[in-house]
């Protein structure tokens, strides 16, 4: 440890590490060494050098007779351990097979033994790889300790094998040496030893080889593979030449150079943790005319492997969980890694009041990011909601965009995805089952019997579970021993006393089924006559979906799930999921659903698909987590484009007042989507349906008042608005120009026709440029109301300022609910209006801009876990029904190819 070379290497490593830790105080590289055997001398050397340099070291000691498979198993474990930055092997030479060596991750291979590191060295990319510490030690000792100029020297490497042999030859050749490598049993060994200026002994000299074969004055360096086996001092006998360098010297310096490699590994790891510019390979489009069906277009493009896409956008291998070839979940750890990275620009896509077929917000969103990234070379991310299967098989079809602006593969996007909605359904219905089961058991058991079953004796011990202890604390019972509760405390703990008439938690199903809107449950004999009226909602209307969309961490999601109010007790106090003891189980069911799903557009740009609350009966926005991760990944100059459901009066208002409050994010631009078709409908044209969608072509364009009103609504929040006119092939140039002109007169920053449906991102380049320019302006974002004002006043503000109502009218039930929620302490939550999306008013047939109407509030519900109060406007169904001819008539499977047909 006292030699100058070793001291210099360790001191340099220490200084570099200290500089890295100035910016990253918690960073400390970890070297893990897998050792097969009990030789402790090398272990002690490694430990001392690591401590002196300031890094951590761990030894994994395996039995000397460990098999190849056992060693590979340990290697694979350490490969996936993100806390370890370097991995070295100290195993017997007979175990150094290619299979073992190449099991190491090249980026952790600090001994430079993998084929990838050796290949980079041979290719001349030494700065990108790890070089064998033994080979480096040989060069340094020859040049510095002996003072040999290697240029032109004849080097003979004897008895070296594998990675050491390759590394030595490569490094000597780089120094201008003439290098030959031979084995001890080579017939020409004696003559080659006579010719050599420098001899490097790569393994112990056999006894039958006489020392006299080496010419006096020859520089001899004794190194051995024993460095990798961890054995010291067992090389050839001491031989005395003027230029001899002993094995111990090589091994000690090699151990120090391994530490240097470790610091380099840590530096690279830190560099990878930082945001870097994307190196995105975009997919080329070859648009056809006429435009084929959505599914034909989707099938005509081969998506990139999702792990390739993830790497291109700066995600690390351990930050994704791959589902098939084209989908992956992204772990939330990426937020911690990029926490110091500045956010990109935040863009919301909203729309005018739509027709029943929608006006193409998803298509515009995808076309915009395709234009930004594939055509303007700007990092951008689309964040979309996961579609419910209800509309997919009902009337609306899929939600992956359309034409040449789609998420692909579109059938995977529209069907199941990674199972998030199924997880929500399972969690929701588990909670529903817990409610009715608890009522049944409380009605049929004494306090004592109920308590004994809730806190059972197991192996002679009775203990409260963690969630039961939390309930005791909530009740003010500061006890942890179940046997010490009084009779009153037992009753208080065991009985929730749920009032069945106040239950607001419904079962859910991700299918449009009108016959589940009102049902009777509990009619089986085992339920002992405890039946009640209930209902099913569509799965995406579950409060758990809203929780998923608004949470910002796993801990926050668990807390929100626990706060969900499912009913009131008979004294009027709220009953929560925590009270029912089901919070932990709900979190387990949702632990994977919280991770955003990564997919791609037709042009190979990234998309997050995560959460899918409806906008008419919920808040209608994709997840906060997807937006936050995307904002970090795109970088400060990049763009994240997310979509709000239905018209700006619904989805956008909730995005600003609910989602932005929860996330703390400030939007830069709103893109407001309009179509000539919808504007003609708002001007008195015929209703639009799947069977009459082209009847509007000859109708006059008189409905721009709706577009102007939606622009005004956007301006209430102080955010610049760009109108995107989604052009259909039947639109005339005069109509397109008129809409754009009227939009700009109404206060839009710009208004741009878009053609992404027919040509992809190229058709939205003008929109992308307008959005970039608008985003450069200062956003004066503000909320519409203060959450501290009374619930009724918040509802009235939305009704009057956004919808244009004259006033609101509360039903007696709605007023009673408001009074109850206020008394329970929930009066300071934001408002999520459940209202038809087909009109600014509560009446779907009132198009354009209805005026002087009274907005009826029929009921008010509370989503306490999600964090909002939602009034029901008029008669709002939370379970859609199927039409006479649902989409499922056209959906089929080719049983030969297993391809889905009929999705659109």
């Amino acid at each position: 440890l006292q030699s100058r070379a070793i001291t210099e290497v360790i001191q340099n490593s220490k200084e570099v590490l200290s500089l890295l830790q100035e910016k990253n105080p918690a960073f400390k590289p970890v070297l893990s060494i897998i050792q097969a055997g009990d030789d402790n001398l090398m272990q002690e050397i490694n430990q001392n050098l690591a401590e002196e340099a300031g890094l951590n070291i761990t030894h994994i000691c395996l039995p000397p007779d460990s098999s190849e498979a056992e060693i590979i198993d340990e290697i694979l474990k350490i490969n996936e351990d993100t806390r370890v930055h370097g991995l070295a092997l100290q195993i017997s030479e007979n175990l150094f097979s290619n299979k073992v060596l190449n099991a190491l991750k090249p980026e952790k291979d600090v001994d430079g033994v993998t084929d990838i590191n050796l290949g980079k060295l041979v290719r001349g990319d030494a700065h990108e790889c790890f070089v064998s510490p033994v080979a480096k030690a040989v060069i340094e000792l020859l040049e510095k300790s002996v003072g040999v100029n290697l240029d032109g020297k004849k080097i003979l490497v004897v008895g070296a094998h594998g990675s050491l042999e390759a590394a030595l030859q490569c490094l000597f050749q780089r120094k201008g040496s003439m290098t030959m490598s031979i084995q001890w049993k080579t017939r020409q060994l004696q003559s080659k030893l006579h010719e050599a200026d420098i001899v490097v002994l790569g393994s112990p000299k056999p006894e039958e080889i006489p020392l006299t074969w080496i010419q006096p004055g020859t520089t001899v360096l004794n190194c051995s593979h024993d460095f990798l086996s961890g054995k010291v001092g067992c090389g050839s006998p001491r031989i005395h030449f003027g230029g001899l360098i002993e094995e111990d010297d090589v091994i000690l310096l090699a151990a120090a150079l391994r530490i240097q490699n470790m610091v380099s590994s840590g530096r690279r790891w830190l560099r990878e943790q930082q945001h870097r510019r994307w190196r995105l390979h975009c997919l080329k489009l070859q648009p056809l005319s006429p435009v084929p069906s959505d599914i034909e277009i989707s099938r005509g493009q081969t998506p990139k492997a999702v792990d390739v896409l993830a790497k291109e956008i700066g995600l690390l291998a351990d930050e994704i969980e791959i589902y098939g070839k084209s989908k992956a979940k992204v772990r939330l750890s990426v937020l911690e890694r990029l926490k110091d990275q500045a956010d990109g620009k935040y863009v919301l896509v909203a729309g005018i009041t739509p027709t029943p077929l929608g006006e193409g917000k998803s298509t515009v969103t995808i076309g915009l990011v395709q234009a930004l990234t594939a055509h303007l070379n700007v990092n951008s991310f689309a964040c979309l909601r996961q579609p419910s299967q209800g509309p997919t098989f009902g009337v609306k079809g899929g939600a992956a965009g359309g034409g040449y602006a789609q998420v692909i593969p579109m059938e995977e996007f529209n069907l199941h995805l990674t199972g998030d909605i199924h997880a929500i359904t399972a969690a929701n219905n588990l909670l529903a089952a817990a409610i009715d089961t608890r009522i049944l058991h409380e009605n049929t058991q004494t306090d004592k019997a109920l308590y004994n079953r809730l806190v059972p004796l197991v192996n002679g011990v009775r203990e409260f579970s963690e969630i039961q202890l939390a309930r005791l604390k909530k009740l003010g019972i500061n006890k942890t021993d179940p046997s010490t509760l009084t009779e009153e405390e037992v009753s208080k703990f065991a009985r929730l006393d749920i009032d069945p008439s106040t239950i607001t938690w419904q079962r859910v199903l991700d299918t449009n089924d009108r016959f589940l809107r009102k049902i009777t449950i509990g009619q089986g004999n085992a339920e002992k006559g405890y039946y009640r009226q209930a209902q099913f909602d569509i799965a995406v209307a579950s409060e758990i979906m809203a929780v998923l969309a608004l949470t910002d961490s796993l801990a926050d999601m668990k807390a929100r799930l626990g706060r969900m109010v499912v009913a009131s007790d008979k004294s009027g106090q709220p009953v929560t999921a925590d009270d029912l003891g089901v919070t932990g189980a709900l979190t387990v069911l949702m632990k994977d659903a919280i991770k955003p799903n990564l997919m791609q557009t037709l042009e190979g740009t990234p998309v997050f698909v995560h959460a899918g609350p409806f906008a008419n009966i919920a808040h209608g926005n994709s997840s906060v987590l997807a937006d936050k991760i995307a904002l970090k990944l795109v970088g400060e100059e990049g763009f994240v484009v997310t979509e709000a459901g239905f018209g700006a009066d619904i989805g956008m208002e909730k995005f600003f007042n609910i989602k932005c409050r929860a996330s703390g994010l400030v939007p830069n631009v709103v893109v407001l989507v309009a179509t000539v078709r919808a504007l003609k409908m708002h001007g008195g044209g015929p209703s639009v349906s799947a069977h009459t969608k082209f009847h509007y072509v000859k109708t006059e364009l008189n409905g721009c008042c709706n577009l102007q009103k939606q622009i005004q609504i956007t301006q209430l929040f102080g955010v610049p608005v760009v109108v995107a006119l989604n052009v259909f092939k039947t639109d005339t140039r005069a109509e397109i120009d008129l809409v754009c002109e009227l939009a700009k007169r109404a206060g839009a920053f710009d208004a741009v026709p878009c053609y992404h449906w027919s040509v992809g991102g190229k058709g939205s380049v003008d929109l992308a440029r307008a959005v970039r320019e608008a985003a450069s302006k200062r956003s004066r974002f503000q909320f519409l109301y203060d959450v501290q004002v009374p619930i009724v006043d918040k509802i009235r503000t939305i009704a009057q300022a956004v919808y244009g109502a004259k006033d609101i009218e509360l039903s007696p039930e709605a007023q009673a609910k408001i009074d109850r929620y206020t008394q329970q302490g929930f009066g300071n939550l934001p408002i999520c209006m459940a209202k038809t999306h087909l009109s600014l008013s509560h009446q779907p047939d009132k198009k354009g801009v209805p005026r002087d109407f009274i907005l009826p509030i029929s009921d008010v519900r509370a989503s306490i876990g999600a964090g909002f109060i939602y009034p029901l406007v008029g008669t709002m169904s939370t379970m859609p029904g199927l039409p006479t001819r649902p989409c499922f008539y056209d959906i089929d499977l080719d049983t030969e190819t297993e391809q889905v047909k009929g999705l659109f």
Side-chain angles (χ1 to χ4, degrees), residues 397-636:
Y404 287 99
Q406 293 187 54
V407 180
I408 57 172
M410 66 94 78
E411 58 264 58
E412 293 187 26
F413 176 93
N414 287 309
L415 301 173
H416 305 298
L417 197 59
T418 56
D420 294 350
I421 292 180
H422 300 311
I424 289 165
T425 302
N428 183 101
N429 293 343
L430 175 63
L431 180 52
I435 296 166
D436 289 302
T437 300
R438 187 60 174 263
I439 293 171
L440 170 70
H441 290 312
E442 288 189 23
N443 284 340
T444 56
Q445 297 179 49
T446 64
D447 289 352
K448 184 178 180 181
L450 191 61
Y451 184 70
N452 287 341
R453 287 184 172 90
L454 287 170
V455 194
L457 198 66
V458 179
N459 296 325
V461 179
R462 176 178 284 183
E463 291 181 331
F464 291 117
S465 67
E466 186 177 332
I467 200 164
Q468 288 176 326
L469 289 169
R471 173 159 168 76
L472 287 168
K473 186 176 180 181
K474 177 181 175 180
L475 295 171
I477 302 172
N478 297 314
K479 295 178 181 179
T480 57
D481 183 351
S483 65
T484 61
L485 267 65
T486 65
E487 285 187 10
E488 183 183 353
E489 289 170 339
V490 165
S491 178
K492 196 175 178 182
F493 169 81
R495 295 199 177 274
L496 298 180
D497 278 333
I498 295 171
D499 180 351
S501 68
T502 67
I503 295 173
T504 56
W505 195 264
Q506 311 299 344
R507 288 162 174 83
V508 299
L509 188 70
D510 198 32
T511 302
N512 288 6
D513 191 345
R514 64 178 69 246
F515 285 92
L516 294 178
R517 290 172 178 170
K518 184 172 283 190
I519 59 172
T520 303
I521 61 171
Q523 291 188 315
N525 292 333
E527 282 62 65
K528 302 177 182 179
Y530 292 99
Y531 59 86
R532 66 179 181 89
Q533 276 201 345
Q535 69 184 58
F536 270 79
D537 293 339
I538 190 83
V540 293
S542 170
E543 183 177 350
I544 295 178
M545 174 63 87
V547 166
L548 176 67
L550 291 169
T551 191
D552 63 7
S553 68
L554 197 56
D556 177 63
M557 182 177 73
K558 183 178 180 181
R560 286 174 178 269
L561 291 171
R563 289 199 300 267
M564 293 187 304
V565 173
V566 299
S568 295
D569 64 21
K570 289 171 183 174
S571 64
Q573 294 306 304
V575 177
T576 66
D578 267 350
D579 293 326
L580 284 157
V582 75
T583 305
L586 300 182
T587 309
V588 168
L589 287 170
M590 293 294 295
K591 71 180 178 63
D592 292 318
I594 195 174
K595 303 163 191 170
N597 304 294
L598 177 65
M599 295 187 76
Q600 64 194 280
T601 69
L602 277 166
E603 297 191 53
T605 66
V607 180
F608 273 141
V609 186
H610 198 218
F614 279 174
N616 54 352
I617 55 178
H619 76 284
N621 290 275
S622 61
S623 77
V624 166
L625 278 169
D627 290 358
K628 285 191 169 185
I629 293 172
L631 285 164
K632 295 297 182 187
L633 288 171
V634 297
E636 193 169 3

